[in-house]
Amino acid sequence: SDEGRRDHFSISKELTLKIKQLAKQHKTTDFMILMACFYTVLSKYANQYDLTIGYPLDIRPSACRNLFGFFVNNIPFRVILSPEDTVGSLLQQMNRKRKELKPHQKTDLSQIIRYVRELYPSAPDSLYNVSFIRANFAMTGLEFPDVDVISKPISTNAVKDDLCLLYDEREAFEFEIEFNQHRFTSDYVQYIQAGYIACLEAFCSDSDLLIRDINLYGSAAIPSRGLIFPINEDLTTRFINYASKFKNAPSVITIDQVLTYRQLYDAVANWREIFFNRLSNERPVIVCLPRTPRLLSVLLALQWLEITYIPIDPSISLERIQIIAEDSNAGAIIVDVFDSREFGTLPILCVQLS
């Protein structure tokens, strides 16, 4: 577990009623509506369209209904968003996937992970690091005759996942966001909350609304932390804004080198021009470079060209690199000019680091 905390927020009774009406309209559950909104927020926040969220499912056998114990299985739930998806089509996809998962809901998660690693040796040890949970926020405890029991919340300040959204229903839906403090700051989590509420309102306004047209932060306060720009800007836009506004400010500081934003921008623009006609954004690119300012400029250039990249440590074995390349269907590899290893059929782009 990592150090974490929880932030609480809630929505109005009116919005809760609209969510229930939307669930009835699409023959789904409140759970699916709320989770679909969570997917949408994460997709826009992370600029990703293929997402897997875990959620716990009660698998208690009917014969064990009166038995005290923990009968829960964690289910990885994968959703792929399309630019043409509407609120209605996203809910249909989630309903369909939920039905497809039903025969496998008792499969132990560790078995799934072992199976995936057999197919893809470079796969991570976890299938997801974000969860969505229906919880019980009630402060009622055990009751005993002639004994007063006082319930108190217990917080271990530890989290299992990087991010977890929990909800409960009373008069209206209430939520808690549990987050890894090494991954997220409290101010960013507040804007995830604001974006989530905005997404719920958008879902309830029009089932034919395109997911790509949902603006999460239009009415929310602009998040700022020092000189940080709004989080609804993509990384490239934010970098260009910094480079134009703080040209002579230091952007990269190492033991023996300091780069201003202007110098970093020039390096990124140069790599972008080199990569433009040599790389395609249809397949990912492996970046096998040591951690230097040149690596940063290469990654920013790939980001600018909207090319998916897979950064890997040059010290790992050639066999491991080849497995990663095969699993990811990489289209090229970028290496140091002095790296003399043979990378098979992959096109090689060499980078002079000095």
Side-chain angles (χ1 to χ4, degrees):
S1 299
D2 291 307
E3 182 181 357
R5 58 171 287 182
R6 282 190 182 187
D7 283 356
H8 179 273
F9 67 103
S10 59
I11 61 174
S12 66
K13 296 179 183 178
E14 292 75 18
L15 183 53
T16 298
L17 180 60
K18 289 179 181 179
I19 292 169
K20 292 184 173 298
Q21 291 171 343
L22 182 65
K24 186 176 180 180
Q25 176 187 343
H26 289 276
K27 298 180 180 179
T28 188
T29 62
D30 302 340
F31 183 92
M32 283 296 172
I33 301 286
L34 298 174
M35 187 159 66
C37 280
F38 194 35
Y39 272 104
T40 302
V41 171
L42 291 176
S43 174
K44 290 179 176 289
Y45 182 82
N47 196 26
Q48 292 180 225
Y49 303 98
D50 187 344
L51 300 165
T52 300
I53 294 178
Y55 71 92
L57 187 68
D58 181 11
I59 57 170
R60 181 184 297 268
S62 57
C64 300
R65 286 299 169 194
N66 297 321
L67 182 65
F68 184 81
F70 194 63
F71 293 84
V72 170
N73 194 22
N74 292 309
I75 307 294
F77 195 91
R78 183 186 184 191
V79 168
I80 301 175
L81 292 168
S82 161
E84 304 305 318
D85 265 332
T86 64
V87 171
S89 65
L90 174 59
L91 294 176
Q92 288 174 5
Q93 178 190 168
M94 294 185 66
N95 281 337
R96 184 176 65 254
K97 287 184 175 289
R98 179 67 189 91
K99 291 178 181 177
E100 293 171 354
L101 273 173
K102 197 167 185 179
H104 311 287
Q105 63 189 23
K106 294 185 179 180
T107 304
D108 189 83
L109 182 61
S110 61
Q111 294 181 15
I112 300 175
I113 293 174
R114 283 197 297 269
Y115 176 73
V116 170
R117 286 192 66 84
E118 288 177 2
L119 294 177
Y120 307 101
S122 64
D125 293 329
S126 176
L127 297 182
Y128 59 86
N129 54 13
V130 177
S131 296
F132 181 78
I133 299 175
R134 170 69 191 266
N136 182 5
F137 299 157
M139 285 294 296
T140 56
L142 298 173
E143 295 182 359
F144 298 99
D146 303 321
V147 176
D148 292 332
V149 179
I150 300 175
S151 299
K152 291 186 177 181
I154 297 176
S155 175
T156 61
N157 294 323
V159 293
K160 175 179 176 290
D161 299 314
D162 289 344
L163 189 68
C164 178
L165 179 63
L166 307 96
Y167 83 95
D168 191 13
E169 182 181 357
R170 298 181 186 177
E171 293 181 353
F173 286 124
E174 297 188 16
F175 302 89
E176 287 186 354
I177 290 188
E178 183 180 84
F179 60 97
N180 184 335
Q181 290 185 291
H182 296 295
R183 300 282 187 182
F184 295 91
T185 59
S186 297
D187 53 350
Y188 270 30
V189 169
Q190 290 177 6
Y191 295 105
I192 292 177
Q193 294 174 16
Y196 185 72
I197 295 174
C199 187
L200 288 172
E201 292 171 343
F203 266 49
C204 295
S205 67
D206 184 3
S207 294
D208 295 324
L209 179 64
L210 289 170
I211 297 295
R212 69 185 183 204
D213 291 339
I214 295 177
N215 183 3
L216 300 182
Y217 302 100
S219 59
I222 295 177
S224 61
R225 187 169 49 125
L227 298 175
I228 295 227
F229 284 89
I231 61 176
N232 55 322
E233 289 182 346
D234 61 45
L235 178 62
T236 301
T237 303
R238 196 181 308 174
F239 169 67
I240 294 173
N241 284 338
Y242 262 92
S244 62
K245 193 170 184 178
F246 310 109
K247 296 179 181 179
N248 297 318
S251 63
V252 179
I253 301 176
T254 67
I255 295 176
D256 54 2
Q257 187 178 16
V258 177
L259 287 181
T260 66
Y261 272 103
R262 183 73 253 177
Q263 291 171 322
L264 180 60
Y265 177 86
D266 290 342
V268 172
N270 179 58
W271 285 119
R272 180 181 183 274
E273 184 177 350
I274 292 172
F275 295 153
F276 183 79
N277 293 319
R278 302 188 186 185
L279 297 174
S280 167
N281 60 8
E282 294 180 356
R283 296 170 66 185
V285 172
I286 292 176
V287 181
C288 185
L289 297 172
R291 297 184 180 184
T292 66
R294 187 59 55 88
L295 170 63
L296 178 60
S297 63
V298 167
L299 297 183
L300 285 170
L302 294 172
Q303 177 80 22
W304 195 342
L305 292 169
E306 298 183 350
I307 295 174
T308 302
Y309 59 82
I310 305 169
I312 60 176
D313 193 317
S315 64
I316 68 174
S317 67
L318 177 60
E319 180 183 7
R320 180 73 169 169
I321 294 175
Q322 290 171 337
I323 290 174
I324 294 173
E326 182 179 350
D327 285 352
S328 63
N329 191 31
I333 184 168
I334 299 175
V335 299
D336 180 6
V337 68
F338 296 110
D339 194 332
S340 59
R341 290 177 291 183
E342 297 291 335
F343 295 97
T345 59
L346 277 179
I348 300 174
L349 288 179
C350 293
V351 171
Q352 175 68 50
L353 294 178
S354 59

